[in-house]
């Protein structure tokens, strides 16, 4: 059993951890690709227990409450969308959520209120291609403070970078590319990391919706480096919730 503390810097909603970051922290205990299911809002600045179970899975616990569970997984996508760095920068200008409308402005990954070098400031928007109306892209140049001990970007930040773009993609209709603003929370995330970039290395993130079933919405995403090398892929399930639930204030 080890302790994990989600620093308040890594929030998603104001009072809980960013889903992708939390998934990435737990996934560090699982060799290879992993699937993490979030069971409860991850509390900030609270010692959480990462516990191995008898079946080879892991649990993240806040006392007796299970916050997340994780297990090894196969993460193979039917397709992987790509974009150039220039296309990704142009897509950011088409982000469907403008700064003054952002539902979670302090989110570590996509919050416009976060300063450069503090938050990731990943603002996914639609690719300007007629046949890609439901594919989003964003640029990302990891800050040096995201490095692990080996000098490469720590894996939890790749999980983070793949998180919010899929949430934006889940608000895109796969058929028309139209965007709605339903409040969403990450429910499950699976990711496979092929390689980790160096800080300062320009990266391209693409994300696209894959389906809807009631309150559940699914999407996939990929990160490539500037030369087009695949770094990581992810598959996510998001849940449509009431706004108060998204903010951590259940009605």
């Amino acid at each position: 059993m080890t302790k994990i503390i989600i620093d308040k810097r890594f929030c998603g909603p104001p009072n809980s951890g960013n889903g992708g970051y939390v998934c990435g922290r737990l996934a560090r205990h699982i060799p290879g690709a992993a699937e993490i299911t979030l069971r409860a809002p991850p509390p900030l600045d609270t010692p959480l227990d990462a516990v191995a179970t008898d079946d080879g899975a892991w649990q993240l616990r806040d006392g007796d409450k299970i916050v997340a569970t994780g297990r090894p997984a196969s993460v193979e996508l039917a397709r992987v969308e790509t974009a150039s760095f220039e296309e990704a920068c142009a897509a950011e200008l088409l982000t469907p959520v403008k700064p003054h409308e952002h539902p979670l402005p302090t989110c570590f990954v996509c919050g416009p209120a976060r300063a450069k070098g503090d938050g990731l400031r990943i603002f996914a928007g639609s690719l300007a291609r007629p046949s890609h109306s439901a594919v989003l892209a964003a640029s990302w140049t990891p800050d040096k403070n995201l490095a692990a001990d080996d000098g490469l970007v720590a894996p939890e930040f790749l999980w983070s970078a793949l998180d919010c773009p899929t949430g934006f993609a889940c608000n895109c209709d796969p058929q028309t590319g139209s965007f709605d603003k339903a409040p969403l929370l990450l429910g499950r995330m699976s990711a496979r990391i092929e390689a980790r970039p160096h800080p300062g290395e320009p990266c391209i993130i693409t994300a696209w919706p894959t389906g809807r079933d009631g309150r559940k919405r699914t999407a996939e995403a990929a990160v490539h480096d500037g030369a087009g090398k695949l770094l990581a892929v992810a598959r996510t399930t998001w849940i449509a919730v009431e706004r108060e639930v998204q903010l951590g204030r259940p009605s």
Side-chain angles (χ1 to χ4, degrees):
M1 183 173 69
T2 59
K3 295 288 185 182
I4 291 177
I5 297 177
I6 309 301
D7 187 89
K8 62 182 179 182
R9 176 189 175 193
F10 305 118
C11 70
N15 299 311
S16 60
N18 170 267
Y21 175 82
V22 175
C23 290
R25 287 292 301 274
L26 185 57
R28 273 189 170 233
H29 296 279
I30 301 170
E35 176 187 275
I36 310 297
T37 302
L38 295 169
R39 306 287 186 182
L44 301 172
D45 293 336
T46 302
L48 306 174
D49 295 317
V51 182
T53 61
D54 293 338
D55 59 356
W58 283 80
Q59 294 180 348
L60 188 63
R61 290 179 166 272
D62 180 12
D64 293 333
K65 178 188 291 185
I66 298 176
V67 175
T69 58
R71 63 178 184 86
S74 174
V75 185
E76 301 294 335
L77 307 188
R79 75 184 202 269
V80 175
E81 297 287 350
T82 61
S84 68
F85 191 78
E86 292 73 22
E87 286 177 315
C89 291
E92 293 170 346
L93 301 178
L94 301 175
T95 182
V97 180
K98 305 307 178 185
H100 67 282
E101 301 172 332
H102 200 289
L104 301 172
T106 61
C107 174
F108 171 64
V109 176
C110 66
R114 301 298 289 266
K116 186 177 180 180
D118 177 32
L120 301 188
R121 295 181 58 82
I122 295 173
F123 309 126
S126 297
L127 283 171
R129 304 176 188 167
S131 61
H132 288 66
S133 59
V135 177
L136 280 64
S139 67
W140 176 45
T141 302
D143 191 87
K144 61 183 180 182
N145 66 30
L146 304 181
D149 291 341
D150 62 3
L152 301 175
V153 173
E156 57 264 33
F157 298 121
L158 283 166
W159 282 74
S160 303
L162 289 161
D163 170 18
C164 293
T166 63
F168 279 48
C170 282
N171 278 142
C172 285
D173 186 300
Q175 303 301 320
T176 67
S178 60
F179 187 83
D180 65 61
K181 297 180 180 179
L184 303 174
L185 285 176
L186 182 66
R188 177 173 292 159
M189 184 172 188
S190 305
R192 185 185 82 244
I193 295 176
E194 296 285 330
R196 289 153 48 216
H198 288 88
E201 182 178 347
C203 299
I204 301 101
I205 300 167
T206 50
W208 53 97
T210 56
R212 296 186 180 190
D213 181 11
R215 294 171 55 224
K216 292 183 179 181
R217 302 185 181 193
T218 56
E220 297 173 344
V223 184
H224 292 80
D225 68 14
K229 177 183 177 181
L230 180 65
L231 301 177
V233 294
R235 183 170 56 237
T236 61
T237 299
W238 293 73
I239 310 298
V241 297
E242 297 295 330
R243 173 64 170 158
E244 292 298 298
V245 174
Q246 184 188 43
L247 292 172
R249 300 195 297 257
S251 54

